[in-house]
Structures are given as structure tokens and as C-alpha cells.
Amino acid sequence: IQNIEEVPQASVVVVVVLGLGDLVGAGGSASGRHLVEQLHGELDDLAERHGLERVKVVGDAYFAACGHARPYIDQAPRAAAFAADARDAVHDIGEVTDVALEAAVGVHTGPVVVGVTGGSRFLYDVWGESVSVAHHLARTAAAQQVLVSDGVRVLLPETVEVRQVGQGDRAVDSGDSVWSIGPAAGEVLS
């Protein structure tokens, strides 16, 4: 590991594309590869538009972050807006291509570690508990649901519709509440 830096606060978004594993695992056809490229391209464009950067893609999960490379005072609202737009984009691509795709998204704000890892092949990465919490939220979310931690919810404008969906999950935000953001969050935050 080289060039490690601790960042006291960043917002991490994990978008799990439900149905993507089945599509890619069914032989990796050219149309499947094209769909994966289309999804990643759309998510990359949305991330850039909202001030986030793609960190990595692992299987069916797309990891992005805001505030780790460049500070934003509004990083949590940016991350939540990206999350809502990503949810909608995955659904729309699924409808247009007639493939059953939906997104389950998790967002958490907290400290992260950033750095370059690897031996002969260097890779920039973001890791730590905040990444794990966002990933856990995404894996816990239902299709078309964006789950945010208390750490994100308190940083969102009051105009964003949120609904408490859980509390006391030790793996998420030290047992604090889990919130689902409303369907129009992307419009309110953009």
C-alpha cells in the first residue's frame, strides 16, 4: 500500500444492480457486455454530474464517493441526488433494453481511507468502515430503494422526503436509524 491518506468525512454510494449477475453469468454474450458498458457509462456520467467519482466496480456493485479527493460542503446531498438518479437510470435502462434490472442503493457519510494499493498493478481505492456501511445498506435495500444512514439524513435538506425503515442494526451506523429517501429526491436535490 502506498500514499495512504485518511479523510475525516466523505460520502460513499454503493449501487447494486439487481439482475446484472444473472445476465453476465449467463455466458457473457456481446449484448450482455454492451449492457454492462452502457450501465457503467450512464452511472459514470451521473457521478460526474453530481461531483462524485467512481471508485470501483465489484461484480454487480458500483462504488462512488464524494469528498474524498475534493471537499464539498454539500457532499451528502450530492451523494443522495446521485443515488436517486442512479436508481432511476438503472430502472430506465432495464425498461429500454427489456432486461429485468433494478437498483438497490446505500449511502453513508463518514471517515474513509484513500490511497494507491497494489504491487505490479497500482489501483486507487477508498476503503474503511464508511464504505462497508454503504455496501451493507445497498445489500439490505429492496429493489428501487435508496437507504441512507443517520449520518447522511442529518445532512440532507428538510425538503427531502425520508422515511425511517429500521433501527438498531449494529452493522449500520453503530445502531442508529436507517432511512429510505423518497422517489423525488433526485429532483429536490439537483
Side-chain angles (χ1 to χ4, degrees):
I1 299 179
Q2 316 235 341
N3 301 331
I4 297 175
E5 181 182 349
E6 292 184 28
V7 177
Q9 184 170 327
S11 293
V12 180
V13 179
V14 178
V15 179
V16 174
V17 181
L18 306 171
L20 187 63
D22 295 336
L23 176 69
V24 173
S29 67
S31 62
R33 285 191 304 274
H34 176 72
L35 181 59
V36 169
E37 290 172 8
Q38 181 182 1
L39 279 165
H40 291 165
E42 180 68 22
L43 294 176
D44 286 345
D45 290 346
L46 288 171
E48 184 178 340
R49 189 175 317 141
H50 289 291
L52 282 79
E53 295 178 24
R54 179 197 331 179
V55 175
K56 60 188 164 197
V57 174
V58 180
D60 61 356
Y62 179 100
F63 292 74
C66 183
H68 65 293
R70 180 173 148 192
Y72 283 102
I73 195 164
D74 62 343
Q75 65 179 264
R78 286 173 176 271
F82 165 72
D85 286 350
R87 171 195 59 201
D88 297 342
V90 169
H91 176 79
D92 292 349
I93 289 171
E95 282 198 340
V96 167
T97 59
D98 201 27
V99 176
L101 297 176
E102 300 293 347
V105 188
V107 186
H108 180 67
T109 297
V112 296
V113 177
V114 299
V116 177
T117 64
S120 61
R121 295 182 63 185
F122 292 111
L123 174 70
Y124 180 78
D125 202 358
V126 176
W127 64 94
E129 184 178 349
S130 295
V131 176
S132 297
V133 170
H135 188 228
H136 178 78
L137 286 167
R139 292 292 178 192
T140 305
Q144 290 302 99
Q145 188 176 43
V146 176
L147 294 180
V148 301
S149 63
D150 259 344
V152 173
R153 184 196 55 84
V154 300
L155 297 172
L156 296 178
E158 290 183 15
T159 55
V160 176
E161 175 191 337
V162 294
R163 180 176 54 85
Q164 186 175 352
V165 295
Q167 186 168 0
D169 186 343
R170 299 291 309 160
V172 178
D173 218 14
S174 303
D176 290 339
S177 299
V178 176
W179 304 83
S180 176
I181 63 172
E187 297 167 14
V188 172
L189 291 164
S190 294

